[in-house]
């Protein structure tokens, strides 16, 4: 084998490898790697591919249960959804590319997660996205650190990311069911794009990324390989500087049309029975698919790069192996049945070429121009990749635990505060975003964006799947463990609000630089919190991804774990909506966790937006009661005839009540908002009663005759259930212990909520 | 009856049209592959929504040259009912079976939301069961649905009663606010001079079951069945 370029410390640094890691590579190989092999190691040992900082912590997560058919380690997790059907789902980040090139970065983020789903044999039927950006205007950053230039750039990133998500999903033909869009100054140069996708398949027709059967042909399908995205995985594993603009060529360019063809061709080829294993070429392209498929099956792959379809000339082995060109798959066919596979791909106008063969030796072997360019034991690239127990240290707390007396001095006006919250970028209607997404294609959408959770029907079984995403960086900054628990609880609660039973979860862990002990501590704490919450709520983690180094110019993001939860709605049950259904119905508040005091209030949206500060801790969470709440919702929907359910989160009870009146009135203008009249008997100060974000709370409405039934069911589960008032045709009136604190016309509420970004 | 749904590379509402034709309307529904020039004895053809050929060059510009479109043109010339939905409408305009063209939305963004359509003509195979002036709630989902034609052509289209649907509000008023894409004269759908070819940007197949929010789109399919003398109540 040739070694063309000397491997110096500088070369190692550019490959993101340490001197220790290099020594380890030499040990594993029993020699020095050549240039190509160094590239292969650098991507496979990158944080993005190896999970080297997070792996030992991720092991604590609950991943099993009777509902789980496939846990983490495959391209996507799979759960049982009844009658022989399976659901594959996962969430993944594309943060770094979305900063460098927002439109293509976001588009290929969606493309990548869709491939992860259909490589399992599942047809994607829904996507969601969780987006975080910096403030869109300087005045929306109370800290005063957002310059007009930064705000303009944030705006451009928002437009680009939303446009990219829309472009890819719309053309591919998968409905977008919503997600979240949130703003905070920490995301100014570190925007987050977390894309979630879900697909369905027959349980007996699932496919896995395994190179099974020595002698079987390895076939490359889909787009040709170019020089785009080389070292994308390495880029996603480092912090950014001012020079990050120069990383633009590391971002891949997506073609959703090609991916749509690839989807149809793959699903059709799978039906022939000629495919033994299949994996998409995502991060680290041919390299990761080649060695991972071998590693999972205990076999190896011998690749001949001369046969790889190429769109650039004169590419080296190094470039081809590290290219992250999109819309490509590697599959292993049963020997002698290749022609069946070729015929399907020809029909769809796609390249399908044998590029290698499955070998008995568990090695990743690559040839180019007749020369052996790489020969590496698979375990060295996968299981034997470094794992670090990086130093962790709880950060010195700089934020106060309790409010300064000054917070009481501000002019207090509950109605004005409510309007300000409803019109804030974090809480206002996100119709501007989701009207750019096709939310209805495939004619399964029972609940699109704008409610608590997205819901699609399963035409074949009569059941439905509900799904929701949640994250909260501010909570996690104050307490990553509880913040992460709250994210799990809120995502599951959103699903439960449709009347569905939460079944399983996926997580996307967005953090800063893990080489900083404080960041590593946050990551470990958050993972521990996710584990505790997922155990308590019986929603095991079936997969996900870790995105570290979300840092630009030394400034990192708040720890932002984003959770996706999927639930099942039984046959014959229509999903509950967030919006009130009719006037004259009883409004109840169900609650399970301890009420917030002034300390917990410091983490609220109210304090962040209106006081421009932060103190205290996230709201308390009683996981057992939270679980009880979900069960009560499912049962009450099935038997007690609930009209609507909406969970209380950012902005507190007053905002949640307003959302119950306004939800989905943007895209359905004929649905005039409904009003309400409530009296809140809560003994706390009205700020806390209206705007504190106590966990495990849901606003439900029902026929007044059913109130007793709902109340009894809630109390039996240890929950509080209080009937607070009634829905009305007009007006929005909240009394606190009999005293009117908010009296607004619905038009004023609606105008604030719809005009948040105007 | 037998209904064919054309499948181009990039069609993504083909399954939805097949589902409504088969599972909701109870008819025989078959996919018609773009490379074939055979309509398999279908009595009606639907050209579904999606991004045929990735919208490369111009929406519908490449699809018009596919073998299946030759067969569709013959079928249309002999009076066969042809319905183009969204991208299908764009393809029919490119093929010349329908007048006018569809440009980028006036707002320059993709827009997906429910819309109201006023039925302007009931003398087509796809609106025969509607009432003139009837308001249907059917969603739109497109980036290029801005209907345009030269002033002379628009005049002709109006004079011959070829406007089949117009965007309107819930009470049937044709207003600027109800127009999601800037279409001239709020036009959402038109028919050929022979009236057997109809194209519209909104998606009736997405509004054919109440659980999806509206069943008004079923009127389009009910009309087709009535036109073809199939006795079914939808």
């Amino acid at each position: 084998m040739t070694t063309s370029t000397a491997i110096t410390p500088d070369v190692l640094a550019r490959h993101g490898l340490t001197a220790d890691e290099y020594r380890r590579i030499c040990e594993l190989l029993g020699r020095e790697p050549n240039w190509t092999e160094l590239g292969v190691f650098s991507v496979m040992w990158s944080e993005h591919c190896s999970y080297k900082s997070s792996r030992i912590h991720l092991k604590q997560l609950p991943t099993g249960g009777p509902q789980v058919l496939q846990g983490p380690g495959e391209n996507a997790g799979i759960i049982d959804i009844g009658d022989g059907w399976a659901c594959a789902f996962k969430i993944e980040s594309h943060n770094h590319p979305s900063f460098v090139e927002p439109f293509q970065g976001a588009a290929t983020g969606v493309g990548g997660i869709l491939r992860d789903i259909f490589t399992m044999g599942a047809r994607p039927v829904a996507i969601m996205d969780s987006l975080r950006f910096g403030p869109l205007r300087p005045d929306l950053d109370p800290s005063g650190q957002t310059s007009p230039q930064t705000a303009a750039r944030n705006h451009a990133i928002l437009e680009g990311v939303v446009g990219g998500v829309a472009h890819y999903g719309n053309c591919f033909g998968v409905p977008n069911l919503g997600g979240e869009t949130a703003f905070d100054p920490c995301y100014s140069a570190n925007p987050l794009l977390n894309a979630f996708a879900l697909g369905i398949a027959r349980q007996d027709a699932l496919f896995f990324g395994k190179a099974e059967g020595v002698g079987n042909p390895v076939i490359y399908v889909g787009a040709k390989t170019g020089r785009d995205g080389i070292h994308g995985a390495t880029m996603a594993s480092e912090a950014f500087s001012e020079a990050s603009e120069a990383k633009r060529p590391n971002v891949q360019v997506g073609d959703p049309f090609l991916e749509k063809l690839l989807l149809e061709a793959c699903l059709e080829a799978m039906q022939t029975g000629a495919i033994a294993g299949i994996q998409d070429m995502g991060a680290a392209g041919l390299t990761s698919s080649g060695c991972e498929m071998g590693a999972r099956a205990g076999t190896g792959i011998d690749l001949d790069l001369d046969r790889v379809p190429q769109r650039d000339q004169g590419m080296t082995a190094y470039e081809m192996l590290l290219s992250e060109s999109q819309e490509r798959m590697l599959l292993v066919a049963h020997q002698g049945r290749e022609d069946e596979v070729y015929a399907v791909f020809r029909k769809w106008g796609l390249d399908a070429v044998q590029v290698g063969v499955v070998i008995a030796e568990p090695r990743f072997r690559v040839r180019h121009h007749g020369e052996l360019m790489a020969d590496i034991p698979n375990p060295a690239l996968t299981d034997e990749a470094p794992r670090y127990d990086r130093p962790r240290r709880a950060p010195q707390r700089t934020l106060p635990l309790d409010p300064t007396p000054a917070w009481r001095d501000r002019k207090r006006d509950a109605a004005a505060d409510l309007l300000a919250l409803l019109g804030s970028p974090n809480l206002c209607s996100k119709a501007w975003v989701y009207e750019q997404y096709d939310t209805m294609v495939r004619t399964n959408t029972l609940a699109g964006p704008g409610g608590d959770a997205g819901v699609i029907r399963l035409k074949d079984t009569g059941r439905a799947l509900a799904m929701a995403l949640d994250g909260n960086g501010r909570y996690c900054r104050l307490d990553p463990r509880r913040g992460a628990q709250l994210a799990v609880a809120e995502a599951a609660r959103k699903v439960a609000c449709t009347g569905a039973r939460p079944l399983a979860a996926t997580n996307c862990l967005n953090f800063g630089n893990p080489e900083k002990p404080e960041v590593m501590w946050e990551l470990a704490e958050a993972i521990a919190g996710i584990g505790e919450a997922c155990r308590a709520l019986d929603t095991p983690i079936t997969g996900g991804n870790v995105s570290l180094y979300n840092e630009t110019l030394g400034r990192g993001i708040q720890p932002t774990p984003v959770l996706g939860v999927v639930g099942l709605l039984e046959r014959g049950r229509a999903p509950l909506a967030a919006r009130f259904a009719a006037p004259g119905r009883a409004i109840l508040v169900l609650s399970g966790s301890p009420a917030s005091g002034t300390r917990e209030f410091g983490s609220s949206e109210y304090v962040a937006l209106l006081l421009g500060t932060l103190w205290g801790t996230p709201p308390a969470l009683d996981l057992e009661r939270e679980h009880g709440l979900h069960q009560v919702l499912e049962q009450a929907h099935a038997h007690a005839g609930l009209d609507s359910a909406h969970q209380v989160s950012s902005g507190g009870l007053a905002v949640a009540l307003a959302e119950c009146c306004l939800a989905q009135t943007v895209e359905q203008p004929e649905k005039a908002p409904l009003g309400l009249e409530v009296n809140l008997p809560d003994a706390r100060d009205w700020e806390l009663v209206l705007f504190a974000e106590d966990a495990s709370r849901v606003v439900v409405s029902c026929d007044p005759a059913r109130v007793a039934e709902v109340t009894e069911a809630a109390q039996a589960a240890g929950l509080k259930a209080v009937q607070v008032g009634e829905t009305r045709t007009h007006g929005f009136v909240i009394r606190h212990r009999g005293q009117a604190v908010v009296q607004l016309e619905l038009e004023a509420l609606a105008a604030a909520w719809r005009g948040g970004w105007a | 009856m037998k209904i064919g749904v054309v499948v181009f590379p990039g069609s993504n509402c083909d399954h939805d049209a097949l589902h409504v034709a088969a599972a909701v309307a109870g008819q025989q529904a078959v996919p018609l592959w773009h490379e074939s020039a055979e309509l398999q004895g279908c009595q009606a053809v639907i050209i579904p929504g999606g991004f045929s050929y990735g919208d490369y060059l111009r929406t519908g510009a490449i699809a018009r040259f596919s073998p299946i479109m030759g067969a569709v043109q013959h079928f249309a010339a002999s009076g066969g009912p042809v319905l183009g939905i969204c991208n299908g409408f764009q393809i029919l305009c490119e093929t010349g079976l329908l007048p006018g063209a569809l440009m980028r939305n006036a707002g320059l963004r993709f827009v997906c939301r429910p819309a109201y359509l006023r039925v302007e003509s009931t003398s087509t195979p796809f609106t025969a069961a509607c009432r003139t002036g009837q308001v249907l709630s059917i969603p739109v989902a497109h980036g290029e649905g801005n209907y345009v034609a030269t002033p002379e052509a628009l005049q002709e289209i109006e004079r011959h009663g070829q406007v089949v649907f117009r965007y309107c509000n819930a009470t049937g008023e044709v207003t600027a606010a109800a127009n999601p894409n800037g279409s001239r004269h709020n036009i959402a759908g038109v028919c050929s001079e022979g009236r057997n070819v109809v194209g519209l940007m909104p998606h009736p197949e997405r509004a054919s079951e109440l659980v999806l929010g509206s069943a008004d789109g079923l009127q389009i399919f009910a009309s087709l069945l009535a036109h073809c003398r199939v006795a079914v109540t939808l």
Side-chain angles (χ1 to χ4, degrees), chain B residues 132-225:
Chain B
T132 305
Q134 186 176 356
V135 176
L136 306 175
S137 170
I138 297 180
V140 293
H142 57 247
E144 308 192 17
N146 183 351
Y147 187 80
V148 294
T150 62
E152 300 75 35
L154 271 176
Q155 217 170 16
E156 286 293 289
I157 293 163
E158 294 282 5
R159 202 158 53 86
H160 292 131
Q162 284 173 257
V163 177
V164 182
F165 303 105
R166 266 186 243 275
Y167 298 110
C168 65
N169 64 18
T171 54
E173 293 164 276
V174 175
T175 64
N179 186 342
N181 52 34
S183 289
R184 303 295 185 277
H185 298 196
N186 276 40
I187 290 171
V190 297
C191 68
S192 59
E193 275 189 66
R195 312 199 75 80
N196 57 314
V197 180
V198 170
L200 77 169
M201 287 312 296
H203 286 271
E205 81 283 13
R206 297 185 182 188
S208 291
E209 295 164 272
L210 266 181
V211 289
L212 302 177
S214 169
D216 289 358
L218 213 45
Q219 296 287 323
I220 311 300
F221 297 91
S223 296
L224 176 63
L225 299 190

Side-chain angles (χ1 to χ4, degrees), chain A residues 354-387:
Chain A
Q354 182 177 348
V355 293
V357 65
V358 177
I359 54 175
E361 303 93 317
R363 300 182 79 86
F364 182 56
R365 274 198 192 127
V366 182
R367 296 164 205 280
H368 193 213
H369 300 324
E371 235 182 296
L372 189 61
M373 300 302 289
D375 185 5
I376 308 172
N378 281 327
L381 296 172
T382 52
D383 293 343
E384 306 269 337
R387 270 166 224 207

Side-chain angles (χ1 to χ4, degrees), chain A residues 76-91:
Chain A
I78 300 181
I79 56 171
D80 184 349
I81 53 171
D83 297 321
W85 285 88
C87 160
F89 67 99
K90 194 165 90 167
I91 190 167

